């Protein structure tokens, strides 16, 4: 039977690297993204180069109805299959000190990271429970663990996903479904391209930013059979920066 993995925000950065890695592990990839068709096509190309195949699923994870419709359409088209692995990776940053934080920048960050986690994961749960096998992997952040000034919105969103990871893991553990979170520190992607890397890396014990591939390797391990007894866990990948 074909094994399917869905990665949200798979068009670039960490999401793209996870798509490539899971393709190498034999999964068929469902590559979700919001707007950049060309970037998503590039990810699909790399999935094929890694020896697997996949398809693009374009929807906004913050839009509950659009998400439900897209996932239902996929299930209808694949009546004998189910999505065994979901990686909730889609996320944005809208940094500002709270005194200046516009309401829309609070909501947008919460709706994509925390809302997206619910919108995408909820419809996939029942099939995972029925098949008694599933992997839910949430990409959170160091920010959600310690809270970072200028990121009350982002810290709240990621902290919310961390708490949800711990709660949900206990609901579904008996049915062979694990729920874990990965908390990266600074990783070189478009999201961090505007940061002062030279200055920031002085604070990182490892002395450098991480690579998307390093996060992908951890995600692939959590998706594997070998990680069946790890659940409700938040694993940091940050070069020693806490
Ligand atoms: P990125 O900005 O390069 O990629 C984000 C991806 O999410 C893109 O593919 C984008 O299209 C997608 N996306 C954004 N909003 C979406 C929506 N509403 N619906 C569907 N897709 C949407 O960022 P990067 O660095 O690859 O980040 C991936 C995840 O890792 C995010 O959740 C981010 O918060 C998290 N992270 C990143 C860190 C870093 O240093 N780069 C550190 C800690 C966490």
């Amino acid at each position: 039977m074909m094994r399917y993995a869905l990665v949200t925000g798979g068009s670039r950065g960490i999401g793209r690297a996870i798509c490539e890695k899971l393709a190498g592990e034999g999964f068929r990839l469902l590559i979700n993204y919001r707007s950049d068709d060309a970037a998503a096509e590039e990810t699909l190309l790399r999935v094929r180069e890694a020896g697997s195949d996949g398809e693009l699923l374009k929807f906004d994870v913050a839009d509950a109805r659009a998400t439900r419709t897209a996932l239902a359409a996929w299930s209808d088209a694949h009546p004998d299959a189910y999505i065994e692995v979901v990686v909730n990776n889609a996320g944005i940053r809208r940094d500002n000190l709270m005194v200046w934080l516009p309401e829309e920048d609070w909501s947008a960050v919460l709706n994509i990271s925390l809302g997206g986690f619910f919108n995408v994961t909820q419809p996939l749960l029942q099939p995972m429970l029925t098949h008694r096998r599933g992997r839910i992997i949430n990409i959170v952040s160091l920010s959600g663990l310690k809270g970072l000034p200028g990121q009350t919105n982002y810290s709240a969103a990621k902290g919310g996903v961390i708490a949800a990871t711990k709660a949900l893991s206990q609901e579904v553990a008996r049915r062979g479904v694990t729920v874990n979170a990965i908390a990266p520190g600074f990783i070189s992607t478009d999201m961090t391209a505007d940061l002062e890397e030279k200055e920031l890396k002085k604070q990182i014990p490892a002395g450098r930013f991480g690579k998307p591939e390093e996060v992908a390797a951890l995600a692939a391990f959590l998706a594997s059979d070998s990680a069946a007894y790890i659940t409700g866990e938040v694993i940091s990948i940050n070069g020693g920066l806490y």
Side-chain angles (χ1 to χ4, degrees):
M1 197 172 118
M2 214 75 87
R3 301 172 76 186
Y4 289 92
L6 166 65
V7 179
T8 68
S11 57
R12 63 179 200 224
I14 293 171
R16 174 184 279 173
I18 293 173
C19 287
E20 284 185 68
K21 181 71 181 170
L22 290 178
E25 304 291 322
F27 286 98
R28 287 256 171 159
L29 266 298
L30 310 183
I31 304 160
N32 159 259
Y33 67 108
R34 183 170 49 174
S35 56
D36 193 342
D37 299 307
E41 288 287 354
E42 170 65 24
T43 300
L44 181 54
L45 204 70
R46 295 192 191 195
V47 160
R48 290 184 175 139
E49 280 168 5
S52 184
D53 203 354
E55 54 194 292
L56 305 183
L57 281 188
K58 185 177 184 174
F59 60 85
D60 178 348
V61 299
D63 183 335
R65 187 180 298 179
T67 302
R68 204 163 274 277
T69 304
L71 294 176
W74 185 86
S75 290
D76 290 346
H78 302 79
D80 299 325
Y82 82 107
I83 297 170
E84 181 183 323
V85 177
V86 58
V87 183
N88 289 301
N89 164 78
I92 60 164
R93 263 178 51 208
R94 295 269 178 87
D95 298 355
N96 216 327
L97 295 178
M98 175 111 161
V99 277
W100 294 309
L101 187 66
E103 192 279 333
E104 60 263 32
D105 287 354
W106 171 263
S107 311
V109 169
L110 267 289
N111 292 346
I112 293 175
S113 276
L114 187 56
F117 156 77
F118 176 79
N119 296 337
V120 172
T121 308
Q122 205 280 337
L124 304 182
L125 272 177
Q126 189 57 58
M128 287 184 188
L129 297 174
T130 305
H131 286 87
R132 293 187 167 268
R133 201 199 129 81
R135 294 283 186 270
I136 298 164
I137 300 165
N138 301 318
I139 308 299
V140 294
S141 172
L142 175 60
S143 203
L145 286 167
K146 71 180 232 178
L148 290 179
Q151 293 195 323
T152 50
N153 50 356
Y154 188 80
S155 301
K158 297 300 194 183
V161 176
I162 287 171
T165 299
K166 293 177 182 174
L168 180 60
S169 68
Q170 298 171 65
E171 294 184 9
V172 297
R174 264 182 204 282
R175 294 290 194 97
V177 179
T178 69
V179 192
N180 291 290
I182 295 176
F186 290 107
I187 308 297
S188 300
T189 66
D190 290 348
M191 185 180 273
T192 50
D194 64 327
L195 302 180
E196 294 288 343
E197 184 166 346
K198 239 189 210 136
E199 282 310 304
L200 286 168
K201 71 183 187 189
K202 290 182 194 155
Q203 303 165 21
I204 304 170
R208 64 172 177 88
F209 278 22
K211 301 183 204 123
E213 295 72 28
E214 292 175 308
V215 181
L218 176 54
F221 172 65
L222 289 173
S224 74
D225 290 336
S226 307
Y229 204 56
I230 301 174
T231 196
E233 192 55 78
V234 186
I235 303 178
S236 290
I237 174 160
N238 57 23
L241 179 72
Y242 286 93

